[in-house]
Amino acid sequence: MKRVRVIASGRVQGVFYRATCARLARRLGLGGSVRNLADGRVEAVFEGPERLVDEMVDWSRSGPDLALVERLEVLAEEPVGDTEFRVTG
């Protein structure tokens, strides 16, 4: 199992980044969450099998069609047993 926190900067709010992220993560059966940050960035946490988490990290680098991701920070974390994917904030 693998868990990462990603923070996307650029044009990532108001372009369906959170909704698309949640739909894809749920389809893959990942746990975690996605939320808008007050400074205009989007933060997501993905937990699950390494290959599937890596797939979501790759998606996060570009996001949905209307997004323009200028920077993506990827931080490794210890898995906590998250099995549900939530949209917050």
Side-chain angles (χ1 to χ4, degrees), residues 8-13 15 17 40 60-72:
S9 304
R11 188 175 67 228
V12 292
Q13 290 190 13
V15 294
Y17 196 102
S60 298
R61 294 184 196 289
S62 58
D65 290 341
L66 297 175
L68 177 59
V69 179
E70 296 173 352
R71 180 170 184 225
L72 188 74

Side-chain angles (χ1 to χ4, degrees), residues 12-14 18-19 33-38 41-43 86-89:
V12 292
Q13 290 190 13
R18 284 183 308 161
S33 62
V34 62
R35 68 183 180 131
N36 285 340
L37 299 177
R41 298 179 300 164
V42 172
E43 177 185 62
R86 301 164 308 282
V87 177
T88 62

Side-chain angles (χ1 to χ4, degrees), residues 10-77:
R11 188 175 67 228
V12 292
Q13 290 190 13
V15 294
F16 303 103
Y17 196 102
R18 284 183 308 161
T20 306
C21 178
R23 187 179 78 245
L24 295 173
R26 288 174 182 149
R27 185 181 302 153
L28 293 174
L30 296 177
S33 62
V34 62
R35 68 183 180 131
N36 285 340
L37 299 177
D39 63 6
R41 298 179 300 164
V42 172
E43 177 185 62
V45 177
F46 306 116
E47 183 171 337
E50 183 173 356
R51 179 182 62 81
L52 300 178
V53 169
D54 290 346
E55 187 174 325
M56 283 305 301
V57 171
D58 287 344
W59 175 87
S60 298
R61 294 184 196 289
S62 58
D65 290 341
L66 297 175
L68 177 59
V69 179
E70 296 173 352
R71 180 170 184 225
L72 188 74
E73 299 172 58
V74 181
L75 309 163
E77 297 185 347

